[in-house]
């Protein structure tokens, strides 16, 4: 149901007061944060969606026997009672020890209904029917939910909804002269209580659906055939006077494997954020990704073509590695590059750094046979930059420096300068472009389908990255 998804969006919009504070959730490696302006956006969006997806709201029929002066006992009934329009004057969202509260005050509503009456006069049976309208005035609604963590999911531990109506105005179309006052006397209080009870019951029904929706949220998200992200919630939501904070595990793991990657929880302070939302990703998330991809043996690449698509040939290397061209002139060649240990990622206030141990094997195709001719070991110092593309976290890396040594060769003893030149050429023209192409694909942020992020800002802090952004409703239906 659309409304359930919308309410889920509000609950999943997690927030932290826009002040520096240590993370307080129950151990999440990723924190989802929403500022006060983000909560206002979520509240306005939610109120609009609740109205648009709930109306028209059918109310139960009302019937009553009343005594009308000069007429006698009359059986009167109201049927086909519908709230078909609501105008919200004021709304607010509150957070605190009692949970998350959404309140609407001073709302008005338009109600349509059919009226009918019947009575006996002497030997005659008299009846009539028609339509009426009701203006509901001063309608106040408050809904509060309390959420707790439950085995990696969220559930609603308690919920309540209260609706109060100040007054109504009734307009009767047609009917006898006594009908208006008869309806007011007989049904005014009943109409008010029916509106209050029906609206409260409907909201509680939505909360029940929301509870089921929360508990059915996936606990992992598949990235590819080999890797998934652990999306289990950690601990209970933390609420203060104006915010909610949720944490999720966020670590990468082998796809389809029940075994979860474990990591110690780093601590860092969040900077002041002036956007609607922030997603804080700690450095152990990045390290879990490198570990899982390394274990899956996906950190290697065979390259047989240059970036422009032409085949690698020893002729291209005769100035850089003349001994290679001398022994194997004008033959095709291939490079195999393999990461030999999980890259270590470190995040500081200036950005992302990583150390990569790389083995470069050089092959040539000689008379139809592939021959290994040299192997270089290199330690790379790279700097990374996080970027946002649509709702994905992407990035790129650049080479700060490296140290390369020849570990095996059929090309004889090579000068150190040759080795550095060969490694530099391979890294800058082949390895880094390949890595950056992969990184540009990105990884999905833990964000709700149907919304997009804009005005994004990347903030680096000690041990983590914070993605700060505003939020807009997407084109897709929610």
């Amino acid at each position: 149901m659309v409304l359930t998804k919308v309410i889920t969006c509000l609950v999943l919009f997690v927030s932290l007061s826009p002040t520096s504070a240590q993370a307080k959730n129950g151990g999440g490696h990723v924190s989802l944060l929403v500022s006060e302006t983000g909560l206002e956006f979520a509240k306005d969006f939610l109120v609009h969606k609740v109205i648009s997806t709930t109306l028209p709201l059918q109310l139960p029929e009302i019937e009553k026997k009343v005594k009308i002066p000069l007429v006698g006992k009359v059986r009167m009934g109201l049927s086909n009672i519908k709230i078909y329009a609501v105008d919200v004057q004021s709304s607010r969202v509150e957070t605190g020890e009692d949970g998350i509260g959404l309140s609407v005050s001073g709302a008005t509503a338009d109600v349509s209904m059919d009226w009918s009456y019947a009575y006996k006069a002497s030997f005659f049976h008299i009846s009539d029917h028609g339509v009426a309208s009701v203006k509901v005035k001063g309608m106040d609604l408050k809904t509060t939910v309390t959420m707790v963590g439950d085995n990696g999911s969220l559930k609603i531990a308690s919920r309540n909804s209260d609706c109060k109506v100040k007054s109504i105005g009734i307009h009767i179309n047609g009917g006898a002269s006594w009908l208006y006052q008869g309806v007011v006397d007989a049904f005014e209080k009943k109409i008010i209580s029916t509106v209050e009870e029906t609206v409260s019951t409907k909201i509680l029904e939505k909360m029940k659906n929301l509870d089921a929706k929360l508990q059915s949220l996936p606990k992992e998200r598949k990235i590819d055939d080999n890797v998934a992200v652990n999306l289990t919630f950690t601990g209970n939501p933390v609420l203060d006077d104006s915010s909610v904070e949720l944490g999720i595990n966020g670590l990468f793991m082998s796809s389809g494997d029940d075994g979860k990657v474990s990591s110690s929880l780093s601590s860092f302070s969040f900077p002041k954020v002036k956007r609607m939302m922030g997603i804080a990703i700690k450095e152990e998330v990045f390290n879990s990704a490198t570990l899982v991809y390394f274990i899956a043996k996906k950190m290697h690449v065979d390259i047989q073509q240059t970036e422009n698509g032409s085949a690698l040939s020893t002729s291209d290397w005769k100035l850089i590695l003349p001994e290679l061209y001398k022994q194997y002139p004008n033959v095709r060649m291939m490079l195999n590059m393999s990461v030999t240990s999980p890259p270590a990622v470190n995040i500081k206030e200036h950005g992302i750094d990583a150390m990569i141990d790389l083995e470069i094997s050089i092959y040539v195709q000689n008379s139809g046979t592939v021959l290994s001719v040299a192997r270089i070991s290199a330690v790379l110092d790279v700097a990374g930059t996080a970027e946002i593309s649509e709702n994905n976290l992407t990035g790129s890396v650049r080479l700060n420096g490296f140290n390369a040594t020849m570990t095996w060769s059929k090309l004889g003893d090579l000068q150190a300068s040759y080795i550095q030149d060969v490694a530099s050429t391979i890294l800058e023209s082949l390895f880094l472009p390949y890595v950056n192409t992969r990184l540009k694909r990105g990884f999905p942020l833990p964000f709700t389908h149907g919304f997009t992020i804009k005005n994004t800002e990347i903030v680096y802090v000690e041990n983590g990255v914070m993605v700060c952004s505003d939020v807009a409703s997407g084109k897709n239906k929610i």
Side-chain angles (χ1 to χ4, degrees):
M1 178 177 282
V2 173
L3 179 59
T4 303
K5 294 182 179 180
V6 174
I7 299 174
T8 305
C9 294
L10 179 64
V11 175
L12 294 183
F13 272 6
V14 291
S15 63
L16 182 70
S17 298
T19 57
S20 293
Q22 289 293 329
K24 299 176 291 183
N25 63 64
H29 302 282
V30 174
S31 295
L32 307 181
L33 318 170
V34 171
S35 69
E36 187 174 352
T37 56
L39 283 175
E40 282 296 309
F41 168 84
K43 179 263 297 179
D44 292 341
F45 183 84
L46 175 62
V47 170
H48 171 75
K49 279 295 183 180
V50 166
I51 293 173
S52 64
T53 59
T54 302
L55 299 183
L57 178 60
Q58 187 80 42
L59 277 63
E61 296 182 358
I62 306 173
E63 187 174 295
K64 192 173 183 180
K65 288 184 178 180
V66 296
K67 189 172 183 180
I68 304 295
L70 303 179
V71 176
K73 289 186 177 181
V74 179
R75 181 177 59 80
M76 305 178 69
L78 302 178
S79 60
N80 196 27
I81 309 171
K82 294 180 181 178
I83 300 176
Y84 64 89
V86 173
D87 182 26
V88 174
Q89 301 296 322
S90 175
S91 62
R92 62 186 299 183
V93 61
E94 299 173 301
T95 58
E97 294 182 359
D98 294 333
I100 303 174
L102 177 63
S103 59
V104 171
S105 57
T108 59
D110 295 315
V111 181
S112 64
M113 60 186 180
D114 298 332
W115 58 263
S116 64
Y117 68 82
Y119 66 94
K120 289 182 178 181
S122 298
F123 299 103
F124 300 99
H125 181 79
I126 299 174
S127 64
D128 198 2
H129 63 88
V131 296
S133 61
V134 176
K135 190 72 171 183
V136 178
K137 304 173 184 177
M139 183 166 66
D140 296 337
L141 173 66
K142 184 169 184 179
T143 301
T144 303
V145 296
T146 301
M147 295 182 299
V148 297
D150 180 37
N151 193 31
S153 298
L154 287 178
K155 74 174 184 179
I156 296 178
S158 63
R159 54 186 178 268
N160 63 72
S161 180
D162 183 51
C163 179
K164 296 295 182 184
V165 173
K166 185 177 181 181
S167 63
I168 62 172
I170 303 175
H171 177 73
I172 303 292
N173 294 325
S177 58
W178 50 263
L179 180 61
Y180 171 77
Q181 194 59 45
V183 169
V184 172
D185 292 342
F187 295 117
E188 182 178 35
K189 291 183 179 179
K190 186 63 176 177
I191 292 174
I192 290 175
S193 64
T194 300
V195 169
E196 293 174 340
E197 292 171 5
T198 303
V199 170
S200 295
T201 300
K202 192 68 174 179
I203 294 299
L204 289 176
E205 177 185 317
K206 301 295 185 184
M207 291 299 103
K208 184 177 180 180
N209 293 339
L210 169 61
D211 188 29
K213 181 70 175 179
L214 287 174
Q215 294 187 56
S216 67
L217 289 174
K219 294 187 177 182
E220 65 178 63
R221 180 166 184 173
K222 190 174 181 180
I223 301 299
D224 53 38
D225 292 338
N226 302 284
V227 176
V229 175
N230 185 344
L231 295 181
T232 55
F233 289 95
T234 57
N236 296 331
V238 178
L239 288 72
D240 59 26
D241 292 341
S242 61
S243 67
V244 183
E245 179 185 356
L246 295 178
I248 65 173
N249 180 283
L251 296 179
F252 283 64
M253 52 187 260
S254 298
S255 184
D257 188 356
D258 292 335
K260 305 294 190 295
V261 174
S262 61
S263 176
S264 60
L265 185 66
S266 62
S267 176
F268 62 89
S269 296
F270 298 118
K272 185 175 181 179
V273 179
K274 295 183 179 180
R275 297 285 192 268
M276 289 183 182
M277 180 192 70
I279 302 176
I281 307 171
K282 299 179 182 179
E283 72 175 24
E284 56 265 24
V285 173
F286 296 88
N287 283 313
S288 71
T290 63
L291 174 61
V292 171
Y293 275 105
F294 178 79
I295 293 174
K297 299 181 179 179
K298 294 299 177 180
M299 287 191 165
H300 65 87
V301 58
D302 293 323
I303 297 179
Q304 302 182 55
Q305 294 180 331
T306 63
E307 199 173 4
N308 62 18
S310 60
L312 287 179
S313 171
T314 57
S315 61
D316 301 323
W317 294 70
K318 59 183 176 181
L319 297 179
I320 303 171
L321 196 54
E323 190 63 31
L324 174 66
Y325 180 74
K326 181 179 179 180
Q327 293 189 33
Y328 305 98
N330 300 318
V331 300
R332 297 187 65 174
M333 58 183 293
M334 180 181 71
L335 298 175
N336 173 272
M337 288 173 278
S338 299
V339 175
T340 58
S341 64
V345 178
N346 294 284
I347 304 176
K348 305 294 182 183
E349 292 183 0
H350 63 80
I352 304 172
D353 294 321
M355 300 299 294
I356 303 174
D357 294 323
L358 186 68
E359 184 177 83
I360 304 169
S361 298
I362 302 174
Y363 298 87
V364 296
Q365 187 172 338
N366 189 32
S367 302
T369 302
V370 176
L371 302 176
S372 175
V373 296
R375 185 174 298 119
I376 299 172
S377 291
V379 178
L380 283 55
D381 177 8
V382 301
T385 301
E387 301 166 8
I388 297 296
S389 177
E390 297 181 342
N391 283 358
N392 290 335
L393 178 65
T394 67
S396 61
V397 296
R398 66 183 185 277
L399 191 62
N400 280 338
F402 69 94
N403 182 42
T405 57
M406 185 75 74
T407 57
W408 179 86
S409 172
K410 283 187 176 181
L411 306 177
D413 294 331
L414 300 177
Q415 295 181 15
S417 60
Y418 280 161
I419 298 172
Q420 300 303 311
D421 289 343
V422 170
S424 178
T425 300
I426 292 173
L427 296 175
E428 294 286 4
S429 63
L430 297 172
F431 179 71
L432 290 182
Y434 173 82
V435 171
N436 285 328
T437 298
R438 300 282 291 183
L439 291 177
K440 287 296 182 183
R441 299 179 187 176
F443 301 99
L445 292 169
F447 202 74
T448 309
H449 173 72
F451 292 94
T452 58
I453 56 180
K454 61 181 184 178
N455 303 327
T456 304
E457 178 186 8
I458 304 291
V459 180
Y460 300 101
V461 296
E462 191 76 15
N463 300 323
V465 175
M466 196 165 189
V467 180
C468 308
S469 71
D470 292 327
V471 182
S473 175
K475 294 181 180 179
N476 295 332
K477 291 184 178 180
I478 298 174

